[in-house]
Amino acid sequence: MGVQRDDVPLVPAAEARGRGSAPMPQLSANEKKEAGLLNSKLKDAGMDELFRGVLSLQSLEECYNFFEDLCTITELRAMEQRFEVAKMLDDGRIYSDIVRETGASTATISRVNKCLTYGTDGYRNVLDRLKNQHE
């Protein structure tokens, strides 16, 4: 089932490939990485070090402590909201429900939907792993 906006179905990610007058070539995350497109705006030694630090965290409590020191409450709440939007979009929820339940703007919802459909599979990897943990 596709994601909907104001009760109008949008094309699901799987169906988005090859649609329209000029189909957008869909590259896998590995193809994007090989082409130098993956995280090209972020990739540098400082970000590598930050992400290594995040990967070194060993508990939920360590995550809370690190991110509370690193980010403002507003920044963390914004990330939490985007992740909740991603989960709801992945579940096929409609934009109006997502706006009502999360308070996210339609611009935020559209951006998250674009990332789910055409992004680097960051949301997809995490959502799939969390689903597998709950099974």
Side-chain angles (χ1 to χ4, degrees), residues 3-47:
V3 176
Q4 297 179 4
R5 179 176 180 173
D6 299 325
D7 302 323
V8 176
L10 293 179
V11 179
E15 293 178 25
R17 295 181 176 110
R19 285 232 173 152
S21 57
M24 196 173 173
Q26 199 65 59
L27 301 176
S28 71
N30 284 337
E31 290 169 326
K32 289 177 186 177
K33 185 177 181 180
E34 289 170 8
L37 301 174
L38 186 64
N39 305 318
S40 60
K41 294 178 185 175
L42 290 176
K43 188 92 172 118
D44 65 23
M47 280 300 223

Side-chain angles (χ1 to χ4, degrees), residues 104-120:
S105 69
T106 56
T108 295
I109 297 167
S110 293
R111 183 184 184 288
V112 172
N113 191 49
K114 181 179 175 184
C115 290
L116 280 169
T117 305
Y118 301 109
T120 61

Side-chain angles (χ1 to χ4, degrees), residues 79-124:
M79 287 188 279
E80 175 193 28
Q81 182 186 64
R82 287 191 297 272
F83 189 65
E84 184 63 24
V85 166
K87 290 189 301 184
M88 294 175 80
L89 287 168
D90 193 49
D91 288 340
R93 303 288 300 276
I94 60 173
Y95 274 49
S96 57
D97 288 347
I98 297 170
V99 168
R100 186 176 53 258
E101 292 180 32
T102 68
S105 69
T106 56
T108 295
I109 297 167
S110 293
R111 183 184 184 288
V112 172
N113 191 49
K114 181 179 175 184
C115 290
L116 280 169
T117 305
Y118 301 109
T120 61
D121 293 332
Y123 281 121
R124 172 66 34 229

Side-chain angles (χ1 to χ4, degrees), residues 49-98:
E49 189 70 14
L50 172 63
F51 293 146
R52 278 192 210 95
V54 171
L55 289 170
S56 76
L57 299 171
Q58 297 179 4
S59 69
L60 208 49
E61 189 63 29
E62 285 185 5
C63 287
Y64 273 102
N65 293 339
F66 178 73
F67 283 101
E68 189 173 337
D69 286 348
L70 181 67
C71 303
T72 66
I73 299 296
T74 302
E75 290 166 335
L76 287 169
R77 291 290 179 200
M79 287 188 279
E80 175 193 28
Q81 182 186 64
R82 287 191 297 272
F83 189 65
E84 184 63 24
V85 166
K87 290 189 301 184
M88 294 175 80
L89 287 168
D90 193 49
D91 288 340
R93 303 288 300 276
I94 60 173
Y95 274 49
S96 57
D97 288 347
I98 297 170

